[in-house]
């Protein structure tokens, strides 16, 4: 859309500078700000470079100019002759900013009909998250379930796991074994390497294809920066952090080396997380809930239940994490840039705390060992960006990517000597071509194609921990190999009918093909009734949105769109032992699930100080994939690994729906003090026509939100916030088992709240201290569907050096 540079009314005496070089920083964080615009009264403009500096020699001297940037209060300065710094104050209340993910291209948020949340680098550094799960939870708009300390499964609008699409630097992370339960893959993304994260709420299959039923989380990593002059651009960022409740010790380093045509960015983070100490202030009526009274230990070749001297300490929950990223950028012409992106993440052994502590049989543990790992994620991608204008395009971006994911599961039953190892190796090749064209200034076209190819290898074996003897074991996925491919083409269009009215529309066609082969079909007392599964599916999805707007005053949007998800290898072929004596078996007769969404959003700003926003939505699902009771070879139970279990499978429900409300308010008392609050509510049900009943849908979080009081000054910023969850009643739990009722209480999951405070202080321009205290009252609680207690009182200290 047309770029509109808005000069805000500035009160008071102008800042008088005698400068030809102007350096611009964030007032609170002291961060150097790039692409800040400095404009004189004749509309001459200059922008700051990556070092936050701008040469003002081309502007009018001895006259006033404006310094402004999206999200900051505009300052009026007076230009003269010496070099001076400008400190910009970050605004809390504003409507417009630049977004990238809604239509895979940079545009104004005011033109987009989607509900979106933007997490910027300065927000990440201030909130200081230990993991990307924490980063998402800090928004107050994403619910995060945790099965273990190294877990974090985000949910959007009642959709979770393989119904939410994860994208990193334009490459989809969702692969053919993303499961429908609780998914921890977001934890393989290092929050310290992120430049920004954009969350799109609601179906987004028109632009992103399968899996985007609940929305999209697009993670943008820090990019290598070119130098704008003949000097090498060197930028360094180092951080150390300690957290008391988990005995976390993290070290991080990233640095940029940039020349005019070549730039390199290197990132490395290592974290050592100890056992989680839960809160000691227990909920009323739940004095013995979630105690860790015993823990597993191997003594004299025998599994032993050891008494835990501190039942608040969740023994066996610690882990380590290593993340490395290397990026290279190369310019080979005025309009052509090449980007190389390498990412590697590896965890140590990740104990399944929910299974180790939560599963009992006859007063004893069911598991002596249960966990993941090590889990590894490797990504290599090449991006070609062409900015040359042609008849068909103004910009073309090509992304070729390779991913390799290793997921291992290691289990051993209590007092048994056979350790089972299940190893999944996933290789994904993908190609994206995205094009952009502006026609007569009022029309924007975005179109492209996408191809993905998944290859899954699944092997398993047992090892006797005493003798070392090895044997065969049941694989989690087909032992003959599995493949899943997809091809898609899309077209999106935006029409700026007037300066205050925009229509957005789009359509996408996707074709998927899946094949899987079982060699050994005798993993239960009766054989699997088939040895091969094949499917081909096609889907057409679309979107239509209307946006009425008045910059920095109001925005009203209406959106109707559709989403779909093709059954993947995990849905159709998985063999898995669930909670509560349940075994999940393969079901090859699945169909794609579709969602049809209607939403209305209203955003309004009053006097540049008060803002409220509210979004109401209704999502209808057909052929919704849910886990429910199933008959395997005409029987409702089966013996699996020597245990008779109730049989369930992923199946298509007749229909389902989710409705909800998301809202927030912000208020600036003055330029230093502001108030912010967000709240989210979801309600979901599906129809079981066989039983003629309406049943609670799984993954529906109770009401949750966050309320903050925020302070910002020249060298100090702080936030006092309350985080809260409502109660999840027993009657609202899904019978599928995905809600993990055995890990709740006899009355469901109680509501809870925590009091928290965080501070950031600039010791020097380059050195910053962050300190926070989370869960000040040391409450013991769990988020809905989680199998581990949240940390108790947690003192977090970090020191960051930036040059």
């Amino acid at each position: 859309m047309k770029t509109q540079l808005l000069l805000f009314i500035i009160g008071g005496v102008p800042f008088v500078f005698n400068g030809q070089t102007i350096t611009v920083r964030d007032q609170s964080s002291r961060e150097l700000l790039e692409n800040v615009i400095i404009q004189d009264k004749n509309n001459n403009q200059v922008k700051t470079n990556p070092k936050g500096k701008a040469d003002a020699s081309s502007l009018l001297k001895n006259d006033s100019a404006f310094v402004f940037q999206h999200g900051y209060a505009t300052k009026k300065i007076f230009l003269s002759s010496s070099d001076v710094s400008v400190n910009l104050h970050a605004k809390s209340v504003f409507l417009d900013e630049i977004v990238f993910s809604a239509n895979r291209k940079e545009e104004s948020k005011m033109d987009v009909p989607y509900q979106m949340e933007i997490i910027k680098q300065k927000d990440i550094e201030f909130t200081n998250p230990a993991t990307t799960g924490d980063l998402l939870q800090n928004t107050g708009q994403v619910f995060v379930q945790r099965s273990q300390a190294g877990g974090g499964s985000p949910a959007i609008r009642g959709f979770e796991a393989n119904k939410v699409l994860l994208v990193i630097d334009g490459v989809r992370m969702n692969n053919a074994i993303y499961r429908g339960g609780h998914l921890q893959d977001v934890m393989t993304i290092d929050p310290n390497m992120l430049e920004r994260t954009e969350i799109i709420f609601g179906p987004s299959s028109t632009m992103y294809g399968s899996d985007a039923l609940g929305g999209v989380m697009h993670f943008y990593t820090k990019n290598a920066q070119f130098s704008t002059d003949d000097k090498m651009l060197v930028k360094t960022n180092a951080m150390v952090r300690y957290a008391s409740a988990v005995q976390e010790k993290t070290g991080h380093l990233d640095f940029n080396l940039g020349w005019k045509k070549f730039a390199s960015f290197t990132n490395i983070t290592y974290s050592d997380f100890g056992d989680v100490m839960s809160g000691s202030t227990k909920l009323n009526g739940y004095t013995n809930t979630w105690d860790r009274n015993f823990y597993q230990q191997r003594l004299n070749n025998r599994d032993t239940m050891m008494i835990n001297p501190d039942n608040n300490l969740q023994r066996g929950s610690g882990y380590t994490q290593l993340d490395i990223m290397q990026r290279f950028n190369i310019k080979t012409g005025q309009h052509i840039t090449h980007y190389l992106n390498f990412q590697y993440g590896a965890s140590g052994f990740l104990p399944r705390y929910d299974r180790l502590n939560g599963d009992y049989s006859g007063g004893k543990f069911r598991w002596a060992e249960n966990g993941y790992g090590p889990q590894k994620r490797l990504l290599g991608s090449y991006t070609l960006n062409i900015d040359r204008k042609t008849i068909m395009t103004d910009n073309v971006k090509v992304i070729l990517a390779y991913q390799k994911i290793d997921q291992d599961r290691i289990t051993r039953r209590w007092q048994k000597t056979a350790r089972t190892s299940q190893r999944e190796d996933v290789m994904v090749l993908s190609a994206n071509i995205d094009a952009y064209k502006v026609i007569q200034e009022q029309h924007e076209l975005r179109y492209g194609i996408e191809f993905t190819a998944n290859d899954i290898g699944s092997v398993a074996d047992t090892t006797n921990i005493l003798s070392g003897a090895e044997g065969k074991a049941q694989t989690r996925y087909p032992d003959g190999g599995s493949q899943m491919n997809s091809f898609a083409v899309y077209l999106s269009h935006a029409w700026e009918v007037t300066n205050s009215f925009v229509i957005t529309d789009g359509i996408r066609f996707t074709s998927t093909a899946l094949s899987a082969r079982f060699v050994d079909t005798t993993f239960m007392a009766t054989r699997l009734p088939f040895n091969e599964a094949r499917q081909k599916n096609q889907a057409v999805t679309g979107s239509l949105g209307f946006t009425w707007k008045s910059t920095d005053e109001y925005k009203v949007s209406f959106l109707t769109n559709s989403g779909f998800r093709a059954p993947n290898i995990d849905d159709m072929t998985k063999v898995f032992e669930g909670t509560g004596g349940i075994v999940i078996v393969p079901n090859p007769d699945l169909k794609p699930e579709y969602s049809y969404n209607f939403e209305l959003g209203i955003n309004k700003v009053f006097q540049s100080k008060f803002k409220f926003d509210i979004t109401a939505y209704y999502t209808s699902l057909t052929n919704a994939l849910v886990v429910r009771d199933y008959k395997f070879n005409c029987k409702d139970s089966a013996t699996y690994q020597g245990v008779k279990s109730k049989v369930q499978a992923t199946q298509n429900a007749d229909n389902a729906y989710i409705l909800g409300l998301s809202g927030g308010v912000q208020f600036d008392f003055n330029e230093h003090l502001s108030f912010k609050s967000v709240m989210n509510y979801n309600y979901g049900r599906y129809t079981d026509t066989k039983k003629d009943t309406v049943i609670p849908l799984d993954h529906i979080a109770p009401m949750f939100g966050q309320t903050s009081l925020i302070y910002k000054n020249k060298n100090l910023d702080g936030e006092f916030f309350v985080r809260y969850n409502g109660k999840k009643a027993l009657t609202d739990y899904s019978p599928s088992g995905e809600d993990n009722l055995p890990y709740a209480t006899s009355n469901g999951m109680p509501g809870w709240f925590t009091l928290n405070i965080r501070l950031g202080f600039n010791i020097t321009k380059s050195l910053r201290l962050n300190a926070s205290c989370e869960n000040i009252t040391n409450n013991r609680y769990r988020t809905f569907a989680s199998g581990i207690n949240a940390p108790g009182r947690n003192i977090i200290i970090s020191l960051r050096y930036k040059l």
Side-chain angles (χ1 to χ4, degrees), residues 2-21:
K2 298 174 184 176
T3 301
Q4 296 180 347
L5 304 179
L6 304 173
L7 301 184
F8 300 90
I9 297 175
I10 311 295
V13 179
F15 291 79
V16 179
F17 295 147
N18 300 312
Q20 287 188 320
T21 300

Side-chain angles (χ1 to χ4, degrees), residues 5 43 160 163 169 204 215 229 232-233 258 284 319 532:
L5 304 179
N43 293 326
E160 188 183 348
K163 294 178 174 62
D169 294 328
S204 305
D229 53 36
M232 180 174 66
L233 174 64
N284 290 333
Y319 70 102
E532 192 174 39

Side-chain angles (χ1 to χ4, degrees), residues 608-638:
S608 299
K609 289 188 175 182
F610 177 76
K611 172 189 171 184
F612 84 88
D613 59 83
I614 187 168
T615 302
Y617 53 89
Y618 176 88
T619 303
S620 172
L621 295 100
T622 60
N623 292 329
L625 291 172
V626 298
V627 176
R628 58 184 180 184
D629 295 348
Y630 186 71
K631 287 194 175 181
F632 181 73
N633 287 335
C634 301
K635 296 180 180 180
D636 59 6
S637 63

